[in-house]
């Protein structure tokens, strides 16, 4: 796990291609200790377990978390699980730093 930090941002980049229960617990523990704005850089991650998504949802209820550089497979899971309602999803680190251009899944219906 790689950690990048400055005055008001704390970015965690898991280096494992799959986020299993062990990796998830390490990430959640690291995020829980931090008081600054926290983001997950999922650039190296290609797969994740349901445990990761559920624990991230629980943590997002108490803490504001940003997620960026998401692979297409994980992005589909995030859309199905409605993660945009819990965490802030961005395309790149620059978007997170500027807190702009957030990805939101709009579920429009024709009436």
């Amino acid at each position: 796990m790689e950690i990048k930090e400055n005055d008001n941002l704390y970015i965690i980049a898991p280096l494992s291609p799959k986020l299993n229960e062990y990796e998830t617990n390490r990430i959640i523990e690291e995020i829980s200790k931090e008081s600054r704005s926290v983001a997950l850089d999922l650039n190296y991650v290609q797969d994740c377990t349901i445990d990761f998504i559920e624990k991230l949802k629980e943590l997002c209820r108490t803490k504001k978390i940003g997620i960026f550089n998401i692979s297409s497979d994980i992005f589909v899971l995030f859309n199905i699980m409605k993660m945009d309602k819990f965490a802030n999803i961005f395309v790149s680190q620059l978007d997170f730093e500027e807190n702009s251009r957030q990805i939101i899944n709009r579920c429009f219906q024709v009436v």
Side-chain angles (χ1 to χ4, degrees), residues 19 24 27 40 42 48-56 78:
L19 292 178
T24 301
I27 291 168
L40 288 174
L42 300 181
C48 67
T49 61
I50 191 69
D51 187 47
F52 170 73
I53 296 173
E54 291 299 326
K55 286 187 178 184
L56 191 60
F78 280 6

Side-chain angles (χ1 to χ4, degrees), residues 32 52 65-66 71 79-80 102 107 111:
S32 299
F52 170 73
I65 298 174
S71 72
N79 280 335
I80 292 170
Q102 183 176 343
C107 297
V111 182

Side-chain angles (χ1 to χ4, degrees), residues 17-48:
K18 182 173 183 174
L19 292 178
N20 55 20
E21 186 177 359
Y22 174 73
E23 291 291 326
T24 301
N25 290 336
R26 286 183 55 205
I27 291 168
I28 298 298
E29 179 183 318
E30 197 68 38
I31 291 173
S32 299
K33 296 187 291 187
E34 196 53 46
S35 61
R36 296 174 277 189
S37 294
V38 178
L40 288 174
D41 179 359
L42 300 181
N43 193 31
Y44 300 111
V45 179
Q46 297 300 317
D47 191 18
C48 67

